[in-house]
Each structure stands twice: as structure tokens, then as C-alpha cells.
Amino acid sequence: MDEQQPPSSLKNLGPKGDAWLAEIGVHTVADLKRLGPVEVYRRLKAARPRQVNLMALYAMVAGLMGLHVNDLPPDLKDQLRQEATG
């Protein structure tokens, strides 16, 4: 995976996600990895509170893992939710 690609190069993420991520300074997969999906989720949620939900966090994590979002283990989703909202 070329880390200089846009986040939409990951599974589960698309062009709309690229636009929203660009608004908070995340332009590449490397940016997403550097900040970490939980921090990126927090920034997205602050910037777009009505549009962003936990599914965005799950999609980013699953994408970085090369998984479809539906294949993310429930215990990992619980852990991520606690990190993001705690």
C-alpha cells in the first residue's frame, strides 16, 4: 500500500471521506496512520458533528487493516468506541 495515496484508496472509504478528511488536514494514508484513526475520528466529529458517527471510525480502522467494516470484531469496536468517547 502506497501511504501517499488518498484515504479513499483504503477499503470502506470513498471520495466523500477524502473531502471531509482533507478539511481536517488528512490527505494521505500516511496522515491517517500518523494521527491514528481515533484522533482523526475525534477531529471529524468536532468538524461535522451531525454527519459523523462511529461508523466512520470503524471504517478507517478496518480499512487500515484491509478488512471490510462488517468484518471488524465486536470486541475491537467496543474498544474503539471507549477510546473515542472516553
Side-chain angles (χ1 to χ4, degrees):
M1 157 70 44
D2 179 359
E3 293 192 359
Q4 295 309 308
Q5 293 292 318
S8 63
S9 65
L10 298 174
K11 236 179 225 192
N12 312 306
L13 302 176
K16 182 164 75 171
D18 281 345
W20 288 7
L21 290 167
E23 290 174 6
I24 60 164
V26 176
H27 302 281
T28 65
V29 172
D31 293 336
L32 177 58
K33 286 184 174 182
R34 180 178 46 80
L35 289 169
V38 171
E39 178 60 25
V40 171
Y41 166 78
R42 287 179 180 148
R43 291 179 185 193
L44 276 175
K45 185 70 173 168
R48 295 178 164 271
R50 292 181 176 226
Q51 292 109 336
V52 174
N53 59 38
L54 284 169
M55 188 56 87
L57 173 59
Y58 302 154
M60 288 185 286
V61 171
L64 288 170
M65 296 173 70
L67 299 173
H68 186 279
V69 69
N70 292 339
D71 295 329
L72 207 58
D75 58 329
L76 180 54
K77 287 182 180 179
D78 290 342
Q79 176 188 342
L80 291 166
R81 184 178 63 253
Q82 289 174 3
E83 286 179 37
T85 59

